[in-house]
Amino acid sequence: MRPEAIAAVADGMARWANPSSPHAEGRAARAALENARARIKASLGWTGELIFTSGASEALWIALNRAIGGDRLVSAVEHDAVFRAAPGAEILPIERSGSTNEIDGEALSEALGRMTRPVVAIQSTNSETGIMQPIGTLAPMIRERGGMLVSDCSQTAGKYALPDADLVVVSAHKLGGPPGIGALLVRDLRMLDPTGGHEFGYRAGTENLPGILGFAAALQVFADEDEAIGQARLAAFNDFMERMDDNQVPFFGAHSHYIQAIPMPHLSAAAQLIRFDAMGFAVSAGSACSSGTLKRSRALAAFGVDEDTASRTIRVSFGWNTTPDEIDTFREAWLEVAQGAAKRA
């Protein structure tokens, strides 16, 4: 967490009152909450509505279960939370004819042609590989057919401009904010069927004011970050990619500058996790919601990665406080482990 977010959470802890209470303390808590809501929307450049949730998973559940529409259509590489929220949804495949790993436009067009007011879930960036989807191209196709687009932007909100989606999912801890708080951005609340309760009647449960204040503080700092810091981190990442490429390390298509999936010859992902952990690096195999099982990645399979390569692939992500030196050090550590594995093979 960013220090500013920690301080804001502490401030929220001192505000004991329920933001829905009518007394003075409750009204003060409500004022702080609404101020945070406005700051988050401003930082993201969002002019619609914002519903606070317990995180991205809940936001996805609300979007896919309360959106007023017909059939549900989700991409094959969505986060597991999407498949849990819409278990009966039709699956939209990834294009296999090229090397872009983008949504199959022909399959999307065909599905939209036989659906009525579909609710379509297409992530902005994959949480395991960092592969980005062309939301700007896909959104008009969906709207022209009377559909609604849900985009999981957990990995990109605050780092890249939000896509032109109808419902956008955001998670605070991806920005250096506290865990357990997120948001569903809604272009028009009339797109959702209300259930009663808090957050304009779209969510049950008292709002998490400490988390909300930490969310707003982290996002605002992220938005206001010195451009030189961001450019230095970007340059270090690009150098990391170039040098890994010089060593013929394969990657999986276009990617964000915060996540990368890297397969290592001769060594399983499970063994890599142990090696890197001993060297002081926290990496994973797959997304955090499923990596504990070390089962085959559904997302990698959907991207067309064969089972052997997938079993040797780790997920590496770079945070707001990752330094260029740390990126360089990890590159050298990766090459050291890979060279050792090659000698033993």
Side-chain angles (χ1 to χ4, degrees), residues 150-170:
V150 180
S151 189
D152 179 1
C153 295
S154 301
Q155 302 294 339
T156 53
K159 306 167 186 175
Y160 300 94
L162 293 181
D164 181 27
D166 301 295
L167 298 110
V168 174
V169 170
V170 181

Side-chain angles (χ1 to χ4, degrees), residues 19-101:
S20 296
S21 297
H23 48 62
E25 288 85 352
R27 296 196 303 274
R30 171 57 59 181
L33 186 151
E34 296 303 333
N35 176 267
R37 194 193 310 271
R39 288 161 54 203
I40 292 171
K41 289 171 57 177
S43 294
L44 293 173
W46 184 256
T47 58
E49 301 294 342
L50 184 154
I51 297 171
F52 285 115
T53 67
S54 62
S57 293
E58 184 190 4
L60 286 165
W61 191 95
I62 294 173
L64 290 166
N65 283 276
R66 309 313 304 177
I68 300 174
D71 300 302
R72 266 50 176 171
L73 177 64
V74 306
S75 88
V77 294
E78 297 298 307
H79 191 279
D80 284 345
V82 169
F83 294 94
R84 289 193 294 268
E90 182 173 332
I91 308 302
L92 182 64
I94 296 296
E95 176 62 59
R96 296 291 186 85
S97 62
S99 60
T100 60
N101 288 312

Side-chain angles (χ1 to χ4, degrees), residues 206-230:
T206 301
E207 291 99 338
N208 174 8
L209 182 58
I212 289 169
L213 297 183
F215 184 2
L219 183 55
Q220 191 162 0
V221 174
F222 211 107
D224 295 341
E225 183 179 62
D226 186 283
E227 185 176 352
I229 297 175

Side-chain angles (χ1 to χ4, degrees), residues 87-302:
E90 182 173 332
I91 308 302
L92 182 64
I94 296 296
E95 176 62 59
R96 296 291 186 85
S97 62
S99 60
T100 60
N101 288 312
E102 293 181 353
I103 296 297
D104 189 325
E106 291 186 6
L108 174 60
S109 181
E110 187 277 328
L112 293 173
R114 54 182 166 76
M115 291 181 169
T116 302
R117 300 176 66 199
V119 177
V120 185
I122 301 176
Q123 62 192 197
S124 62
T125 296
N126 186 260
S127 61
E128 295 183 38
T129 64
I131 291 173
M132 306 181 81
Q133 295 298 330
I135 302 297
T137 300
L138 302 174
M141 294 176 57
I142 295 168
R143 291 205 186 94
E144 286 172 5
R145 303 295 181 87
M148 187 185 308
L149 175 60
V150 180
S151 189
D152 179 1
C153 295
S154 301
Q155 302 294 339
T156 53
K159 306 167 186 175
Y160 300 94
L162 293 181
D164 181 27
D166 301 295
L167 298 110
V168 174
V169 170
V170 181
S171 182
H173 75 274
K174 300 297 183 182
L175 300 155
I181 185 68
L184 175 63
L185 309 182
V186 187
R187 191 172 300 282
D188 188 332
L189 286 177
R190 290 174 295 183
M191 293 177 169
L192 299 178
D193 181 24
T195 57
H198 298 278
E199 288 302 286
F200 312 108
Y202 293 92
R203 181 181 185 270
T206 301
E207 291 99 338
N208 174 8
L209 182 58
I212 289 169
L213 297 183
F215 184 2
L219 183 55
Q220 191 162 0
V221 174
F222 211 107
D224 295 341
E225 183 179 62
D226 186 283
E227 185 176 352
I229 297 175
Q231 289 299 320
R233 191 180 301 121
L234 175 60
F237 179 85
N238 288 335
D239 183 61
F240 168 81
M241 295 294 292
E242 290 173 5
R243 295 199 183 190
M244 293 292 272
D245 188 58
D246 290 342
N247 285 275
Q248 299 182 326
V249 179
F251 295 107
F252 306 129
H255 52 77
S256 78
H257 295 104
Y258 294 87
I259 306 169
Q260 187 54 258
I262 307 175
M264 179 182 291
H266 313 301
L267 195 62
S268 71
Q272 291 180 62
L273 263 58
I274 295 171
R275 298 281 181 86
F276 287 124
D277 184 52
M279 299 170 80
F281 297 100
V283 296
S284 62
S287 64
C289 294
S290 61
S291 61
T293 63
L294 290 179
K295 62 185 179 182
R296 185 186 182 192
S297 165
R298 176 186 47 73
L300 291 183

